Structures are given as structure tokens and as C-alpha cells.
Amino acid sequence: MTVEQNKEFIRRYFNEVWNKGNLDKEAEFISKDAVVHAPPIPGLPPGIAGPLAVVGMFRAALPDLHVSHDALFGAGDKVAHHWVARGTHRGAPLFGAPASGKEIQLIGINVFRIVEDKIVERWGAIDTLGVAQQMGLAPDPQQGGPGSR
């Protein structure tokens, strides 16, 4: 696949699975042997079940979740993806916090390696401190908490 085809593949993946919530389509996009290089989320199973559990966790907590692409570029078999996701925390607990009714914004970056129309490897990071601050699980210096000036 070309770089442009790989970028479109990533757009389709996020639209179909993350935005529309079609979790049953995850296996169409991710190899069953995919390798994920990302900070661990406790309790996630290995293999393709792990990424599916992440999508399910966020969609259960934020039923109106929508991911947008701030930047999407690539070279060879890799696509880099800077994303922003927004949703209202009115569903299941998220990171142990009960639903608050607050709009949560998640920001992150991924690099995907795509082989034969499948994601075979992913490197990723999310602004977990920012999420924790929005949920009231960590002090927010901008709100006058510890560490503010």
C-alpha cells in the first residue's frame, strides 16, 4: 500500500471502530499478532483482545466519543497520527472514576506499522495526566491546586 492508502486506512479504522463504535470490526484492521508499544493499562489482555478492550473501555465510559485527526503523515509502511478525542463521561467508570457528566478531552499520538492491510505494530502515548486532571483524580495547577503559581 502507498503512504496515502495507509493514511486512509487509519482514517477508516478510527471512524469505523472508535467513532461509530463497531467493535466487531476491529479484527478487520488489526492483526491478531499485533505488537503494541505503549504504557500499560492494567488488566488489558494480550494480543488483539488488548486494543479491543481499550476501545470498549473508552466507548463504555464516553458513549459519544469522537476522535479527530490533528495530524496524519507517513513514510513507507508507517503512519504517525496525532489525535484528539472528546466525549462526555456519562457511562461506565473511567480509570476508576465514576461518571461525572463532564466533557473529557484526550490527546495522544500513535505510530502504526501497516502490512498487508493490517496494523501489525503500534507505538502510542496519551496525555494521562491531563485526563486525570479533568476527572479530578490529579491536581490541576491551572485551577489553583498544588503546584500552581
Side-chain angles (χ1 to χ4, degrees):
M1 289 176 36
T2 68
V3 170
E4 288 305 315
Q5 289 170 321
N6 284 340
K7 288 167 43 179
E8 183 56 32
F9 176 81
I10 294 301
R11 284 186 195 99
R12 281 194 328 268
Y13 165 65
F14 276 91
N15 189 52
E16 191 66 38
V17 177
W18 285 83
N19 292 341
K20 291 182 179 178
N22 293 325
L23 305 183
D24 58 322
K25 299 211 177 205
E26 183 95 14
E28 293 177 21
F29 295 93
I30 299 181
S31 168
K32 63 181 172 80
D33 300 322
V35 176
V36 176
H37 309 277
I41 297 176
L44 288 185
I48 193 169
L52 185 56
V54 170
V55 178
M57 175 186 73
F58 281 111
R59 291 221 36 100
L62 311 165
D64 60 345
L65 181 74
H66 183 79
V67 178
S68 61
H69 313 285
D70 276 3
L72 195 63
F73 54 93
D77 63 355
K78 292 183 183 70
V79 172
H81 175 237
H82 182 269
W83 54 270
V84 175
R86 290 180 178 84
T88 308
H89 189 201
R90 62 175 186 237
L94 184 59
F95 301 122
S100 64
K102 293 181 182 177
E103 182 175 316
I104 303 294
Q105 176 177 284
L106 307 118
I107 300 171
I109 188 164
N110 290 307
V111 176
F112 298 99
R113 187 166 67 90
I114 303 164
V115 175
E116 298 178 6
D117 294 333
K118 296 279 186 180
I119 295 167
V120 297
E121 201 164 6
R122 179 182 73 84
W123 295 261
I126 183 173
D127 175 16
T128 52
L129 177 59
V131 173
Q133 289 171 331
Q134 292 174 69
M135 296 175 64
L137 300 173
D140 185 348
Q142 295 179 2
Q143 302 297 318
S148 64
R149 297 183 184 162

